[in-house]
Amino acid sequence: MTTRATALRALACLDLTDLSDSTSQEETTRLIARGQTAFGPVAAICIWPAFVSGASQRLRGSKIRLATVINFPSGGEDIERAVEDTREALRDGADEIDLVMPWRALLRGDPALPRAMIEAVAQCLPSGHRLKVIIESGELSDPAYIDAASRIAIEAGAHFIKTSTGKTPVSATPAAARVMLKAIKDMGKPVGFKASGGIRTLADAQVYLDIADEIMGPDWATPDTFRFGASGLLDALLAALTEDGA
C-alpha cells in the first residue's frame, strides 16, 4: 500500500480527540473544523461530555460522528452514575460512547462488576449508536487480563473495544492490540477495535493497520470496525498527504 493510501485509510478511521483539561467550547469548534479536511472527514470527534450539546449542533448534516467519554478517565465502579451520564450524553446528541471499564475490579478477581456496567450502559444506546469500551490495557499489563477484559466487553455488548484512555503511563501498544484483535476474531462477533494513546505518526498508524490486516484480513479495517483515538495524528496524516500530492 502506498503512503498516500495508508494516510487516507488512517484519516478515515480517526477519532479526532480533545480530552485535555484546558479545552473549551471554542477549541471544540476548531476541532470540528479540523476534522473536515480537504482529503475527507475524520470518522468522529471525541470530546468531554460538557461540550457535546454545542458540538452536536455544529455537526448537524455532517458525516462526522460525535463521541464522548463516560467514567473517564478513572474507571470508577458506580454503575448508576455511568448510566445517568450516558443518558445525558445521548440526550445532548452523542452518537458514540467511550466507556472506561472498571478494570481494577477485574484485577481483584471480580469480573461481574465490569460486565454489569457495560451491559447497563449498552442497554441505554439506541440503534445506530456505538459503545466503545476502554479496557485500559496498559494498566492491565498481563496479556491474560487484556484478553479477559476484551472478552468480557464483547460479551457484555461493546461495539468496539479500545485500548486506553491515553491518561496512563502506558497507552496503546502493538502487543495489546494483538491480544484484543485475536479476542475479537475468536469471539466471532461484529466488534471493532480502537487504538488510543501515543499514536502520533503515520508509521505508528501503519503498525496497527498491519496488525489488523494480519489478524482480521486486509478488508476488515474500515471506519465501521477500526478507529484511532488521537489528537496529534491528524497533522501527521495531512502532512504526508500534502507531500505526496506535491
Side-chain angles (χ1 to χ4, degrees):
M1 185 174 289
T2 66
T3 296
R4 181 179 181 82
T6 300
L8 287 171
R9 188 183 187 196
L11 188 150
C13 293
L14 179 60
D15 284 7
L16 185 60
T17 301
D18 185 353
L19 296 170
S20 60
D21 294 334
S22 60
T23 194
S24 64
Q25 192 68 65
E26 292 73 21
E27 289 296 329
T28 299
T29 299
R30 284 191 280 272
L31 192 75
I32 292 169
R34 288 183 62 219
Q36 296 165 329
T37 83
F39 302 97
V42 298
I45 65 162
C46 186
I47 55 176
W48 290 109
F51 305 116
V52 167
S53 180
S56 177
Q57 296 175 31
R58 289 176 175 83
L59 283 169
R60 194 166 293 150
S62 167
K63 294 181 179 180
I64 299 175
R65 294 176 67 88
L66 177 53
T68 194
V69 290
I70 300 294
N71 203 30
F72 185 98
S74 63
E77 301 184 359
D78 188 336
I79 295 175
E80 184 177 347
R81 174 67 183 274
V83 167
E84 290 175 356
D85 289 348
T86 297
R87 287 175 174 159
E88 182 175 358
L90 293 171
R91 286 194 297 268
D92 285 345
D95 301 306
E96 301 182 352
I97 300 295
D98 286 34
L99 170 73
V100 184
M101 168 188 281
W103 51 271
R104 293 176 188 85
L106 187 61
L107 292 179
R108 66 171 184 264
D110 180 12
L113 192 151
R115 185 187 304 274
M117 179 179 286
I118 296 164
E119 287 176 345
V121 170
Q123 289 170 7
C124 298
L125 269 64
S127 177
H129 290 62
R130 291 174 178 147
L131 173 60
K132 306 200 221 51
V133 175
I134 305 168
I135 69 167
E136 204 67 289
S137 58
E139 295 295 291
L140 295 176
S141 182
D142 188 320
Y145 281 122
I146 295 170
D147 180 69
S150 299
R151 291 171 186 268
I152 288 168
I154 292 168
E155 289 171 351
H159 299 107
F160 278 74
I161 51 175
K162 175 178 170 181
T163 57
S164 324
T165 60
K167 302 288 188 179
T168 56
V170 177
S171 294
T173 66
R178 284 188 174 278
V179 174
M180 294 170 71
L181 283 161
K182 285 179 179 177
I184 292 171
K185 186 171 185 178
D186 288 348
M187 298 289 285
K189 293 189 176 183
V191 172
F193 169 77
K194 180 174 173 178
S196 181
I199 302 166
R200 300 182 178 90
T201 69
L202 179 59
D204 293 338
Q206 181 73 70
V207 168
Y208 290 95
L209 288 169
D210 286 348
I211 293 170
D213 287 348
E214 175 192 336
I215 294 172
M216 304 300 294
D219 299 322
W220 182 81
T222 71
D224 288 331
T225 58
F226 188 99
R227 300 286 182 84
F228 292 110
S231 55
L233 179 60
L234 179 61
D235 289 339
L237 299 177
L238 293 176
L241 289 165
T242 301
E243 291 171 6
D244 186 74

